[in-house]
Amino acid sequence: MSINHRHTDSAPGQVGGLARRIELRRRQLGLTHEGLAARARMAPRYLLYLAETEGEFDPDAFQRVATALELSTADLLDERADAPPGRSPAAPHPGSMKLSPRACWDRLGTHGIGRIGLSTASGPAIIPVNYTVDDRTVVFRTAADSGTAATVDTEVAFEVDLVDERLSEGWSVLIVGRAEHVGEPAALRRLAEAPGAAPWAGGRRDLVIRVVPTRITGRLVYAA
Protein backbone atom coordinates (compact mmCIF):
# COMPACT_ATOMS: atom_id res chain seq x y z
CA MET A 1 0.00 0.00 0.00
CA SER A 2 1.40 3.39 -0.91
CA ILE A 3 0.95 6.32 1.45
CA ASN A 4 1.02 9.92 0.25
CA HIS A 5 2.52 12.06 3.00
CA ARG A 6 0.94 15.48 3.38
CA HIS A 7 3.05 18.54 4.12
CA THR A 8 1.79 20.54 7.07
CA ASP A 9 2.84 23.83 8.63
CA SER A 10 1.34 22.94 12.00
CA ALA A 11 3.49 23.58 15.01
CA PRO A 12 4.82 20.56 16.90
CA GLY A 13 2.12 19.09 19.08
CA GLN A 14 -0.67 20.91 17.26
CA VAL A 15 -3.52 18.68 16.14
CA GLY A 16 -5.90 19.17 13.28
CA GLY A 17 -9.68 19.11 13.29
CA LEU A 18 -9.93 15.39 12.53
CA ALA A 19 -7.56 14.45 15.35
CA ARG A 20 -9.59 16.60 17.77
CA ARG A 21 -12.84 14.95 16.72
CA ILE A 22 -11.35 11.46 17.07
CA GLU A 23 -9.99 12.32 20.52
CA LEU A 24 -13.27 13.84 21.71
CA ARG A 25 -15.34 10.90 20.49
CA ARG A 26 -12.86 8.40 21.97
CA ARG A 27 -13.30 10.03 25.39
CA GLN A 28 -17.08 10.10 25.03
CA LEU A 29 -17.06 6.34 24.45
CA GLY A 30 -14.66 5.73 27.34
CA LEU A 31 -12.02 4.15 25.10
CA THR A 32 -8.27 4.26 25.47
CA HIS A 33 -6.18 5.06 22.38
CA GLU A 34 -5.13 1.43 22.28
CA GLY A 35 -8.72 0.25 22.72
CA LEU A 36 -9.89 2.38 19.79
CA ALA A 37 -7.07 1.07 17.62
CA ALA A 38 -8.04 -2.49 18.51
CA ARG A 39 -11.67 -1.76 17.58
CA ALA A 40 -10.51 -0.36 14.25
CA ARG A 41 -8.19 -3.35 13.68
CA MET A 42 -5.01 -1.31 13.32
CA ALA A 43 -1.85 -0.50 15.23
CA PRO A 44 -2.09 2.48 17.64
CA ARG A 45 0.71 4.34 15.80
CA TYR A 46 -1.10 3.89 12.49
CA LEU A 47 -4.29 5.28 14.02
CA LEU A 48 -2.37 8.37 15.13
CA TYR A 49 -0.87 8.79 11.67
CA LEU A 50 -4.28 8.45 10.03
CA ALA A 51 -5.64 11.25 12.21
CA GLU A 52 -2.66 13.52 11.55
CA THR A 53 -3.08 13.20 7.79
CA GLU A 54 -6.76 14.27 8.07
CA GLY A 55 -7.99 11.09 6.37
CA GLU A 56 -6.38 11.88 3.01
CA PHE A 57 -5.39 8.26 2.35
CA ASP A 58 -6.50 4.69 2.97
CA PRO A 59 -10.31 5.14 2.90
CA ASP A 60 -10.84 1.58 4.14
CA ALA A 61 -8.84 2.28 7.31
CA PHE A 62 -10.67 5.56 7.81
CA GLN A 63 -14.02 3.77 7.50
CA ARG A 64 -12.93 1.32 10.20
CA VAL A 65 -12.06 4.21 12.53
CA ALA A 66 -15.45 5.86 11.94
CA THR A 67 -17.23 2.56 12.61
CA ALA A 68 -15.20 2.02 15.77
CA LEU A 69 -16.27 5.48 16.94
CA GLU A 70 -19.91 4.71 16.06
CA LEU A 71 -20.04 7.58 13.56
CA SER A 72 -20.48 7.92 9.81
CA THR A 73 -17.44 8.95 7.80
CA ALA A 74 -19.20 12.24 6.93
CA ASP A 75 -19.72 13.08 10.60
CA LEU A 76 -16.12 12.27 11.44
CA LEU A 77 -14.36 13.77 8.44
CA ASP A 78 -16.43 16.88 7.78
CA GLU A 79 -17.23 19.68 10.19
CA ARG A 80 -20.71 20.00 8.77
CA ALA A 81 -23.03 22.93 9.44
CA ASP A 82 -25.57 20.52 10.93
CA ALA A 83 -23.11 18.69 13.17
CA PRO A 84 -23.89 18.74 16.92
CA PRO A 85 -22.88 22.19 18.24
CA GLY A 86 -20.39 22.90 20.97
CA ARG A 87 -17.53 20.71 19.77
CA SER A 88 -15.41 23.45 18.23
CA PRO A 89 -13.17 25.59 20.46
CA ALA A 90 -14.29 28.98 21.70
CA ALA A 91 -13.48 32.03 19.58
CA PRO A 92 -10.05 33.61 20.27
CA HIS A 93 -11.63 36.69 21.90
CA PRO A 94 -15.23 35.82 22.84
CA GLY A 95 -17.67 38.32 24.27
CA SER A 96 -21.26 38.29 25.44
CA MET A 97 -24.04 40.80 25.93
CA LYS A 98 -27.65 40.93 27.05
CA LEU A 99 -30.30 41.37 24.39
CA SER A 100 -32.97 44.00 24.71
CA PRO A 101 -36.61 42.85 24.66
CA ARG A 102 -36.96 44.19 21.12
CA ALA A 103 -33.85 42.29 19.99
CA CYS A 104 -35.26 39.15 21.61
CA TRP A 105 -38.53 39.45 19.68
CA ASP A 106 -36.63 40.16 16.46
CA ARG A 107 -34.78 36.86 16.86
CA LEU A 108 -37.86 34.91 17.91
CA GLY A 109 -39.58 36.04 14.74
CA THR A 110 -36.87 34.49 12.55
CA HIS A 111 -37.32 30.95 13.89
CA GLY A 112 -40.05 28.33 14.11
CA ILE A 113 -38.80 25.65 16.51
CA GLY A 114 -38.48 26.21 20.25
CA ARG A 115 -38.54 24.28 23.51
CA ILE A 116 -41.21 24.61 26.15
CA GLY A 117 -40.35 23.81 29.76
CA LEU A 118 -43.16 22.62 32.01
CA SER A 119 -43.96 20.59 35.09
CA THR A 120 -45.61 17.20 34.63
CA ALA A 121 -46.79 14.42 36.93
CA SER A 122 -43.50 12.66 36.17
CA GLY A 123 -41.37 15.74 36.87
CA PRO A 124 -39.94 18.63 34.84
CA ALA A 125 -39.97 18.23 31.05
CA ILE A 126 -38.64 20.13 28.04
CA ILE A 127 -40.51 19.53 24.79
CA PRO A 128 -39.70 20.89 21.29
CA VAL A 129 -42.60 22.51 19.42
CA ASN A 130 -43.30 24.39 16.22
CA TYR A 131 -44.29 27.93 17.09
CA THR A 132 -45.21 31.29 15.61
CA VAL A 133 -44.94 34.79 17.07
CA ASP A 134 -48.22 36.66 17.33
CA ASP A 135 -48.56 40.13 18.88
CA ARG A 136 -45.67 39.68 21.33
CA THR A 137 -46.80 36.19 22.32
CA VAL A 138 -45.67 32.70 21.29
CA VAL A 139 -48.31 30.33 19.90
CA PHE A 140 -48.10 26.59 19.23
CA ARG A 141 -50.49 23.72 18.44
CA THR A 142 -50.72 20.47 20.33
CA ALA A 143 -53.00 17.50 20.91
CA ALA A 144 -55.53 17.59 23.72
CA ASP A 145 -54.03 14.48 25.35
CA SER A 146 -50.37 15.53 25.00
CA GLY A 147 -48.00 16.63 27.74
CA THR A 148 -47.94 20.20 26.45
CA ALA A 149 -51.73 20.40 26.76
CA ALA A 150 -51.24 20.37 30.54
CA THR A 151 -49.53 23.77 30.30
CA VAL A 152 -52.87 25.63 30.02
CA ASP A 153 -53.31 28.04 32.96
CA THR A 154 -49.82 27.31 34.29
CA GLU A 155 -46.50 29.16 34.25
CA VAL A 156 -44.08 27.84 31.65
CA ALA A 157 -40.72 28.64 30.13
CA PHE A 158 -40.09 28.86 26.40
CA GLU A 159 -36.58 28.92 24.85
CA VAL A 160 -35.19 29.43 21.38
CA ASP A 161 -31.53 29.56 20.36
CA LEU A 162 -29.22 29.62 17.38
CA VAL A 163 -25.58 28.46 17.31
CA ASP A 164 -23.04 29.19 14.59
CA GLU A 165 -20.58 26.35 15.11
CA ARG A 166 -18.01 27.62 12.63
CA LEU A 167 -17.77 31.10 14.17
CA SER A 168 -18.33 29.94 17.78
CA GLU A 169 -21.15 32.47 18.07
CA GLY A 170 -24.79 32.23 19.04
CA TRP A 171 -27.75 33.61 20.91
CA SER A 172 -30.58 32.41 23.12
CA VAL A 173 -33.92 33.88 24.17
CA LEU A 174 -35.92 32.78 27.20
CA ILE A 175 -39.57 33.60 27.87
CA VAL A 176 -41.31 33.00 31.17
CA GLY A 177 -45.08 33.43 31.11
CA ARG A 178 -48.53 31.95 31.44
CA ALA A 179 -49.98 29.48 28.96
CA GLU A 180 -53.50 30.19 27.75
CA HIS A 181 -55.93 28.31 25.53
CA VAL A 182 -56.81 30.12 22.29
CA GLY A 183 -60.46 29.53 21.43
CA GLU A 184 -61.68 32.60 19.53
CA PRO A 185 -62.70 31.49 16.01
CA ALA A 186 -61.24 34.58 14.35
CA ALA A 187 -57.88 34.11 16.08
CA LEU A 188 -57.83 30.42 15.20
CA ARG A 189 -58.46 31.13 11.51
CA ARG A 190 -55.70 33.76 11.44
CA LEU A 191 -53.19 31.57 13.26
CA ALA A 192 -53.94 28.58 11.01
CA GLU A 193 -52.41 30.52 8.12
CA ALA A 194 -49.33 31.67 10.04
CA PRO A 195 -45.85 30.20 9.43
CA GLY A 196 -45.25 27.20 11.67
CA ALA A 197 -48.96 26.42 11.96
CA ALA A 198 -48.50 22.80 10.84
CA PRO A 199 -46.52 20.80 13.46
CA TRP A 200 -43.71 18.64 12.09
CA ALA A 201 -44.89 15.74 14.22
CA GLY A 202 -48.14 15.56 12.25
CA GLY A 203 -51.33 14.07 13.57
CA ARG A 204 -54.43 15.79 14.89
CA ARG A 205 -53.42 18.80 16.98
CA ASP A 206 -56.46 20.98 17.52
CA LEU A 207 -55.46 22.64 20.77
CA VAL A 208 -53.84 26.07 20.25
CA ILE A 209 -51.85 27.45 23.19
CA ARG A 210 -50.54 30.97 23.61
CA VAL A 211 -47.68 31.84 25.98
CA VAL A 212 -48.14 35.37 27.32
CA PRO A 213 -44.76 36.56 28.64
CA THR A 214 -44.22 38.06 32.04
CA ARG A 215 -40.47 38.13 31.44
CA ILE A 216 -38.26 37.89 28.36
CA THR A 217 -34.46 37.80 28.41
CA GLY A 218 -31.78 37.03 25.88
CA ARG A 219 -28.04 36.69 25.53
CA LEU A 220 -25.68 36.99 22.58
CA VAL A 221 -22.25 35.32 22.43
CA TYR A 222 -19.96 36.71 19.75
CA ALA A 223 -16.40 36.63 18.47
CA ALA A 224 -14.75 40.00 18.96
Side-chain angles (χ1 to χ4, degrees):
M1 177 184 66
S2 63
I3 296 176
N4 296 320
H5 295 266
R6 186 181 74 162
H7 173 73
T8 177
D9 296 325
S10 300
Q14 182 177 358
V15 296
L18 176 61
R20 285 195 302 271
R21 291 192 290 279
I22 290 176
E23 179 69 7
L24 175 61
R25 184 61 175 166
R26 179 185 68 77
R27 292 180 180 179
Q28 290 174 339
L29 295 175
L31 296 171
T32 64
H33 180 75
E34 291 74 16
L36 175 59
R39 266 195 180 192
R41 306 191 306 280
M42 63 181 61
R45 292 186 64 181
Y46 188 72
L47 171 62
L48 179 62
Y49 185 69
L50 182 68
E52 289 175 344
T53 56
E54 295 285 316
E56 289 193 352
F57 71 94
D58 197 349
D60 177 67
F62 183 75
Q63 176 65 65
R64 297 204 307 273
V65 172
T67 301
L69 292 171
E70 301 174 13
L71 296 172
S72 69
T73 55
D75 285 334
L76 183 58
L77 185 58
D78 300 325
E79 288 187 297
R80 303 180 306 162
D82 60 346
R87 293 184 177 179
S88 63
H93 304 287
S96 66
M97 61 178 288
K98 293 182 179 180
L99 295 173
S100 67
R102 178 175 179 176
C104 289
W105 284 112
D106 287 344
R107 284 164 171 77
L108 283 169
T110 65
H111 281 57
I113 298 290
R115 286 164 288 278
I116 188 160
L118 62 149
S119 296
T120 71
S122 302
I126 298 176
I127 303 173
V129 294
N130 293 78
Y131 76 93
T132 188
V133 173
D134 181 64
D135 193 22
R136 291 295 191 264
T137 67
V138 169
V139 181
F140 65 93
R141 301 178 70 94
T142 189
D145 59 351
S146 68
T148 48
T151 61
V152 175
D153 295 328
T154 66
E155 187 177 53
V156 299
F158 185 82
E159 192 269 349
V160 180
D161 57 59
L162 175 68
V163 175
D164 188 324
E165 181 74 4
R166 296 183 183 276
L167 296 179
S168 299
E169 295 181 336
W171 57 262
S172 64
V173 172
L174 175 66
I175 287 176
V176 176
R178 193 162 189 82
E180 300 178 351
H181 173 230
V182 179
E184 303 86 357
L188 292 174
R189 286 193 297 270
R190 176 170 51 81
L191 292 171
E193 299 175 356
W200 283 9
R204 189 178 180 87
R205 299 175 187 273
D206 297 329
L207 183 63
V208 179
I209 297 177
R210 182 189 304 276
V211 179
V212 181
T214 56
R215 184 170 74 252
I216 180 169
T217 56
R219 183 168 179 252
L220 172 68
V221 175
Y222 59 88

